[in-house]
Amino acid sequence: MTNSKYKLTKKDFNQVNRRNLFTFQLGWNYERMQNTSYLYTVLPQLRKIYGDDTEDLKEAMKNHTQFFNTSNFFNTIITGTNLAIEEKEGIESKETVAGIKVGLMGSFAAIGDSIFAALLPAIFGAIAANMAVNGNPTGIFIWIAVNIGVMYFRWRQLEFAYKEGVTLVTKMQSKLSALTDAATLLGVFMVGALIATMINIKIGYVAQIGDLAVNIQDKIDMVLPKLVPAGLVGLVYWLLGRKNMTATRAIFIVLFVSVALSALGVIAKI
């Protein structure tokens, strides 16, 4: 049963932030990426919300071991929002929580990594390096100050997101269902975008009809570009639904079949 009387405190926020800053990537894995790290980050708070060794706690833990991967610089926004919703709604909010994670992780991954993992290091790293080359030690302090600022931003966003999450569930109760649907739909769009941009597979077979060479890939692109990558994702999705099939086995199946088809000239070498 959810402990609805428990409210997260400053001590809880500090604990989540410490775990997030220093251990979030330690549980990274190729199958579900940051899922165990996310669960470890919020587990003490889940115990306080749901109670120790309860069915609701087990269900919540299971819900948080689903696939999760986003920018380290924005992940606590998702964490804070979800903690606020779970604190208010309990296990009944698990679909909303999962939908928010799926819907926001792709957007935050792109924004966070672009700004904090690429833009800021490129700009301030270049300034600091140029000053260091010219014998000016101020450059190193600029670099340190930037990183301290980034860490402060990461530390503060959790409590801000939590407070906004409380506002969400208290003042927008009727819209939670719409939020879940919107977040899930956004997640579907993000998956589609990733398929189109990250999966690069083309049919290399060219059919000979008399003196006419027919490029199969060109014909497919005329019907629907990126149809082959979408078909591959659909096949892998179907495989993962089979009994005793794991993500690791599916990866090896795709690897071996791809090598074989490439050797036979069915798919093109990229």
Side-chain angles (χ1 to χ4, degrees):
M1 202 65 178
T2 300
N3 183 9
S4 58
K5 293 182 179 180
Y6 185 79
K7 302 297 180 183
L8 298 183
T9 64
K10 192 74 174 180
K11 184 178 179 181
D12 289 311
F13 298 138
N14 290 340
Q15 183 178 43
V16 171
N17 275 321
R18 284 195 301 270
R19 291 192 173 203
N20 179 265
L21 282 173
F22 300 113
T23 68
F24 195 71
Q25 289 291 72
L26 296 182
W28 202 96
N29 61 89
Y30 282 104
E31 184 171 350
R32 298 189 182 184
M33 298 195 174
Q34 297 170 339
N35 67 323
T36 55
S37 299
Y38 185 99
L39 176 58
Y40 174 74
T41 299
V42 300
L43 185 55
Q45 286 64 47
L46 294 181
R47 290 182 183 276
K48 293 174 181 178
I49 292 172
Y50 294 107
D52 239 348
D53 196 26
T54 63
E55 291 302 316
D56 283 354
L57 176 63
K58 294 175 184 178
E59 188 68 23
M61 291 174 65
K62 182 179 179 182
N63 191 41
H64 284 305
T65 55
Q66 301 304 311
F67 179 91
F68 184 74
N69 188 44
T70 194
S71 170
N72 289 332
F73 305 98
F74 274 150
N75 67 75
T76 49
I77 294 180
I78 299 174
T79 305
T81 303
N82 280 344
L83 281 175
I85 293 173
E86 289 193 81
E87 179 189 82
K88 180 69 177 179
E89 299 297 317
I91 199 62
E92 289 78 12
S93 67
K94 68 177 184 178
E95 291 186 5
T96 300
V97 167
I100 288 174
K101 290 171 71 175
V102 171
L104 296 181
M105 66 181 181
S107 302
F108 282 173
I111 297 171
D113 288 349
S114 297
I115 296 175
F116 295 101
L119 186 62
L120 289 183
I123 294 174
F124 291 99
I127 294 173
N130 184 63
M131 295 178 75
V133 168
N134 292 317
N136 188 341
T138 307
I140 189 171
F141 296 108
I142 292 176
W143 184 244
I144 291 173
V146 169
N147 281 278
I148 291 174
V150 170
M151 291 181 68
Y152 178 77
F153 170 77
R154 291 180 62 182
W155 190 276
R156 294 294 299 170
Q157 66 183 254
L158 173 69
E159 192 169 353
F160 170 79
Y162 167 81
K163 290 178 179 178
E164 292 302 311
V166 171
T167 301
L168 177 71
V169 297
T170 55
K171 296 184 179 180
M172 300 178 64
Q173 181 74 26
S174 62
K175 298 183 180 180
L176 277 179
S177 178
L179 173 64
T180 303
D181 293 340
T184 303
L185 184 61
L186 178 59
V188 172
F189 273 107
M190 292 304 301
V191 170
L194 288 172
I195 292 172
T197 57
M198 300 299 294
I199 300 177
N200 196 5
I201 179 173
K202 294 182 178 180
I203 302 297
Y205 177 71
V206 177
Q208 289 292 143
I209 304 176
D211 295 331
L212 180 64
V214 179
N215 189 308
I216 303 299
Q217 183 63 55
D218 287 346
K219 300 304 179 184
I220 293 175
D221 288 342
M222 291 174 63
V223 177
L224 183 65
K226 300 298 182 179
L227 179 61
V228 177
L232 175 61
V233 172
L235 178 61
V236 172
Y237 184 80
W238 176 82
L239 275 176
L240 291 173
R242 302 302 93 193
K243 187 176 181 181
N244 298 324
M245 178 59 65
T246 65
T248 303
R249 289 177 181 174
I251 289 171
F252 279 108
I253 290 173
V254 171
L255 178 64
F256 291 136
V257 172
S258 298
V259 171
L261 292 179
S262 179
L264 294 172
V266 177
I267 60 176
K269 296 180 181 179
I270 306 301

